[in-house]
Amino acid sequence: MTDDARVVEVVPYDLAWPERFEAERRLLSEALPEALSVERIGSTSVPGLAAKPIIDIMAVVPEVDAVVANLRPLEQLGYVYRPMVFPEDSDHLFFAKDTAGKRSQHLHVFGVASLVPQENRVFRAYLEANPAAARRYEAAKRRAAELHPDSRARYGAAKEETMTQLLAEARLWNESAWRQSPEG
C-alpha cells in the first residue's frame, strides 16, 4: 500500500481546523435551521491534539426523523447520508462529506433526547483540561493509524479500549467537578 492509498492518517493539529469548522457551521445552520446546536467534536476540536484531518460536527435537533424526511439541504452541501453506520442508535444520524476527493467532514445529528451529545462535550472538555489524557488518546490514535491505515473500522476498533477508558475517566472527572460546583 502506498501513502496515497491511506484512508486513515493522523496528522498534527492544524490551526485552520477551527476556521474550517466555523465556515461549515454557518452553512449547516442554514441547512438545519431547526438545530438547537451545531458544535465541533472529536479530536480536531481539542487544541493541540493530533487527529485525522476530518472535522467532526455534531448537530442536535428536535427530531431526527424531520432531517431524514428532508435530506436535500444537506445533500446540496455535499453531505451523504450513511444510514447504517450507527444502526443501534435510531437517534443518531451520520453523514460524510468529501472535498476534492478526500473525506473532509463527518456530521453526527442527534435528537434532543439523546445522551450522546453531552458525552461528546464531556470527553472534549476532559481532553482539553487534561493534557496527559489527551496525549494518551493521541498515542492510541497514532498506533491505530499505523496498524490500520487502510480501514476506518479497524482503526476505530484499535483505539476503542483507550477511548473507553478515557471516556470513563471523563465521566468521573465531570461528576467530581459538578459535585464541587456551587450548583452541585
Side-chain angles (χ1 to χ4, degrees):
M1 169 182 293
T2 67
D3 281 348
D4 291 337
R6 294 176 73 96
V7 296
V8 177
E9 184 177 22
V10 174
V11 300
Y13 184 81
D14 186 336
L15 293 173
W17 288 340
E19 293 171 23
R20 282 182 47 208
F21 162 72
E22 187 55 34
E24 204 66 20
R25 185 197 62 74
R26 284 191 297 272
L27 294 171
L28 288 167
S29 293
E30 291 179 22
L32 295 170
E34 70 279 10
L36 305 171
S37 66
V38 177
E39 304 171 47
R40 194 163 51 123
I41 58 170
S43 297
T44 63
S45 70
V46 180
L49 185 61
K52 294 189 320 284
I54 300 168
I55 305 298
D56 282 299
I57 302 168
M58 173 177 72
V60 178
V61 297
E63 293 291 332
V64 294
D65 291 343
V67 176
V68 174
N70 185 14
L71 295 172
R72 189 170 174 82
L74 292 173
E75 289 170 344
Q76 289 174 331
L77 295 178
Y79 284 94
V80 176
Y81 179 41
R82 307 277 188 197
M84 297 310 294
V85 173
F86 296 98
E88 71 284 354
D89 185 356
S90 62
D91 229 17
H92 184 177
L93 308 178
F94 179 77
F95 299 82
K97 180 176 179 178
D98 292 354
T99 303
K102 287 187 80 171
R103 184 65 45 90
S104 55
Q105 282 92 6
H106 287 156
L107 173 62
H108 301 264
V109 178
F110 294 96
V112 71
S114 176
L115 300 177
V116 177
Q118 184 57 23
E119 281 197 344
N120 284 326
R121 293 177 190 116
V122 167
F123 190 65
R124 178 184 61 210
Y126 180 68
L127 293 180
E128 288 175 349
N130 295 278
R135 295 303 149 237
R136 284 182 16 235
Y137 189 43
E138 182 175 292
K141 291 166 71 60
R142 287 187 185 279
R143 274 192 310 274
E146 288 173 18
L147 289 170
H148 305 290
D150 59 339
S151 171
R152 286 185 185 101
R154 288 194 304 263
Y155 161 81
K159 68 182 180 82
E160 184 69 26
E161 183 178 336
T162 300
M163 186 170 175
T164 299
Q165 182 179 9
L166 288 168
L167 184 54
E169 291 173 19
R171 288 179 185 129
L172 290 172
W173 170 81
N174 187 59
E175 289 171 14
S176 175
W178 186 81
R179 281 192 295 267
Q180 293 175 9
S181 75
E183 298 88 32

